Amino acid sequence: MAWRGWAHRGWGCGQAWAPVAGGRSCGELPAALGSPRLLRVRFNFFIQQKCGFRKAPRKVEPRRSDTGTSGEAYKRSALIPPVEETVFYPSPYPIRTLVKPFFFTVGFTGCAFGSAAIWQYESLKSRVQSYFDGIKADWLDSIRPQKEGDFRKEINKWWNNLSDGQRTVTGIIAANVFVFCLWRVPSLQRTMIRYFTSNPASKVLCPPMLLSTFSHFSLFHMAANMYVLWSFSSSIVNILGQEQFMALYLSAGVISSFVSYVCKVATGRYGPSLGASGAIMTVLAAVCTKIPDGRLAIIFLPMFTFTAGNALKAIIAMDTAGMILGWKFFDHAAHLGGALFGIWYITYGHELIWKNREPLVKIWHEMRTNGPKKGGGSK
C-alpha cells in the first residue's frame, strides 16, 4: 500500500551520521542503558564496539512510479491514471520478478484453450436442442398477439441482426465499460491502481496481467479500442469460431502484459500500463495475416485505403521503433507482443494447439457420459 511505503520511507530518513548518545564513552554506555540483559535484547543493534561515530543503517529507497532510471520526471500519458501517490518497490533481483508471471502466462493460456475446447463440445452437443427450441419459439410468436412498440421486441430484433462476432464482443465491450465506470469512483482508486494496472514493480503481479486488459482510464482510449475490436469481430470469429476467439483474446491480453513486463524489467522503465490494445493487436494481426489483401481505411479518412498486409507492417515498425526509442505515450512492447502472438497463432498456433484438442475433449466426453460411479453391491 502507498501509505505503508511512505511510512517506511519516513523511518529511514534523518542524519546519515549521528554521535553516540550523550557524548559518553563506550565504557559508560552499558551502565547508562541499563542491565546487560536489556542491553542484549533491545539495544544490541545500535551499540557499536568502538568509540566515536556510527553509521546509520542504509535503507532501500522505494521507486516512485513517476521517475525513471535517469531521475528525470516521468511524463505521464493521458491514457493512464494519476499514480503520483503510489510507491512501487522494484525487486533487487529483477529477473526473479518474471518467474511467477511466466508460469501464470503459460498456465492461463493452457486453461483458456482447454476451456474453449470444452465449451465448443458443449455447444455442439446442445445445438440440436437449441434448434428445436427455436422452432417452438417461432411458433409461439406467430400465434401470440403482438404488441406495437414493444421495447423487448426491438432489442431482440437488434440482437438477432448482429453477426456472431459482434454478439461475442458485446460482452467484452460491456465489461470494459463497467471497469471504466469503476475508475470514476474515488474510493476505489487504490484498488483499481493495484489490480487493474500492470506493473512489474507492483506487489501484485499476476491478476493485473488479465484485469488490465479490460481497464481504461481515458474515454477516448476505450472508445478507440472498442471500435477496432467491433470492426474486426466478424472477421476473426468467422476465421476461428466463437470459442477459439475468446481463448485467443484472453490469452493475448496476458501474453502482451508479460512481454510488457519483460521490456520494463530489461530497460528499468517501470510504470503502470492498462488497456485492451495488446489483445486487440493480436486480433488485428491475425486477420491481417489471414487476409493480407483485404482493404482497410481510417475512420476519419475513408477516402484513403490500404491493404491489411501493409497496415500490419507499418504498425509493427512503429511499435518496434517506439519500444527501442523509449516512447512513453503507448506501451509499445505490449502492442508488439500482441501482434507477434497473433501472427504466430494464425500461422502455426492453430495447428499446434487447437487441432490437438481431441484428447482433452475425449476425457471430458467420458466424464460426462459415465459420470460418478454409484456405489452399491448385489443383495
Side-chain angles (χ1 to χ4, degrees):
M1 297 296 290
W3 65 270
R4 292 183 62 185
W6 286 116
H8 177 76
R9 185 187 180 102
W11 283 107
C13 66
Q15 296 292 336
W17 295 89
V20 180
R24 298 177 184 269
S25 62
C26 291
E28 297 173 349
L29 281 175
L33 293 175
S35 63
R37 182 179 181 181
L38 181 61
L39 175 65
R40 287 194 302 269
V41 175
R42 297 190 60 183
F43 299 98
N44 189 40
F45 177 77
F46 297 98
I47 300 304
Q48 303 295 323
Q49 296 299 321
K50 60 182 179 179
C51 301
F53 297 91
R54 62 181 176 83
K55 187 175 180 180
R58 187 176 181 181
K59 302 293 183 180
V60 178
E61 294 294 333
R63 180 188 294 273
R64 272 177 162 272
S65 60
D66 57 344
T67 57
T69 54
S70 61
E72 300 178 354
Y74 178 80
K75 295 181 180 180
R76 183 177 66 86
S77 170
L79 305 181
I80 64 175
V83 293
E84 285 79 1
E85 298 301 325
T86 304
V87 179
F88 298 103
Y89 290 88
S91 172
Y93 306 98
I95 301 300
R96 295 183 182 179
T97 62
L98 299 176
V99 176
K100 290 176 63 177
F102 172 76
F103 285 106
F104 176 79
T105 302
V106 174
F108 181 85
T109 301
C111 291
F113 281 97
S115 301
I118 295 174
W119 179 17
Q120 186 185 60
Y121 167 81
E122 295 294 338
S123 299
L124 293 175
K125 188 176 180 181
S126 61
R127 182 168 298 178
V128 176
Q129 183 64 34
S130 299
Y131 174 77
F132 288 109
D133 291 342
I135 295 177
K136 181 179 178 180
D138 293 338
W139 178 75
L140 290 176
D141 289 338
S142 63
I143 63 175
R144 182 183 303 165
Q146 302 294 323
K147 298 180 180 180
E148 296 294 336
D150 190 358
F151 179 74
R152 183 178 178 181
K153 178 182 177 182
E154 295 297 327
I155 293 297
N156 291 334
K157 182 179 179 181
W158 170 80
W159 179 260
N160 293 329
N161 289 333
L162 297 178
S163 64
D164 292 338
Q166 291 172 339
R167 285 196 292 266
T168 302
V169 302
T170 300
I172 299 176
I173 296 175
N176 281 268
V177 172
F178 176 73
V179 175
F180 174 78
C181 294
L182 293 180
W183 276 109
R184 312 270 80 81
V185 182
S187 60
L188 296 178
Q189 289 295 306
R190 291 182 182 273
T191 302
M192 300 300 294
I193 291 173
R194 183 166 185 171
Y195 291 100
F196 286 85
T197 62
S198 60
N199 190 347
S202 176
K203 292 183 178 180
V204 182
L205 294 175
C206 296
M209 297 175 68
L210 174 64
L211 297 179
S212 62
T213 307
F214 299 89
S215 178
H216 296 83
F217 182 78
S218 168
L219 178 62
F220 175 77
H221 188 200
M222 182 185 69
N225 280 342
M226 295 303 102
Y227 173 79
V228 175
L229 179 62
W230 181 270
S231 301
F232 284 88
S233 60
S234 299
S235 299
I236 191 64
V237 171
N238 289 335
I239 295 172
L240 300 178
Q242 183 181 22
E243 300 83 6
Q244 190 179 184
F245 160 72
M246 287 300 300
L248 178 69
Y249 184 86
L250 296 177
S251 301
V254 175
I255 291 174
S256 61
S257 296
F258 179 74
V259 175
S260 175
Y261 277 9
V262 173
C263 181
K264 290 175 182 178
V265 169
T267 60
R269 300 167 184 166
Y270 295 95
S273 299
L274 73 168
S277 304
I280 293 175
M281 281 297 300
T282 299
V283 174
L284 188 149
V287 174
C288 293
T289 303
K290 190 69 174 180
I291 316 174
D293 296 329
R295 306 298 298 182
L296 302 178
I298 303 175
I299 179 174
F300 299 110
L301 300 172
M303 68 289 299
F304 298 103
T305 61
F306 41 85
T307 63
N310 291 335
L312 181 60
K313 295 175 183 177
I315 291 174
I316 292 178
M318 183 187 68
D319 285 324
T320 302
M323 185 179 64
I324 296 175
L325 299 177
W327 298 345
K328 298 178 181 179
F329 192 76
F330 295 111
D331 192 342
H332 296 280
H335 291 187
L336 186 61
L340 294 179
F341 176 62
I343 296 173
W344 175 84
Y345 186 83
I346 209 67
T347 306
Y348 306 104
H350 177 74
E351 297 290 335
L352 295 175
I353 299 177
W354 194 250
K355 292 294 183 66
N356 294 321
R357 68 188 187 280
E358 185 177 355
L360 177 63
V361 175
K362 285 184 176 179
I363 295 175
W364 180 259
H365 174 73
E366 292 177 358
M367 292 175 59
R368 289 295 307 272
T369 303
N370 300 331
K373 295 182 179 180
K374 298 182 180 180
S378 58
K379 294 183 180 179

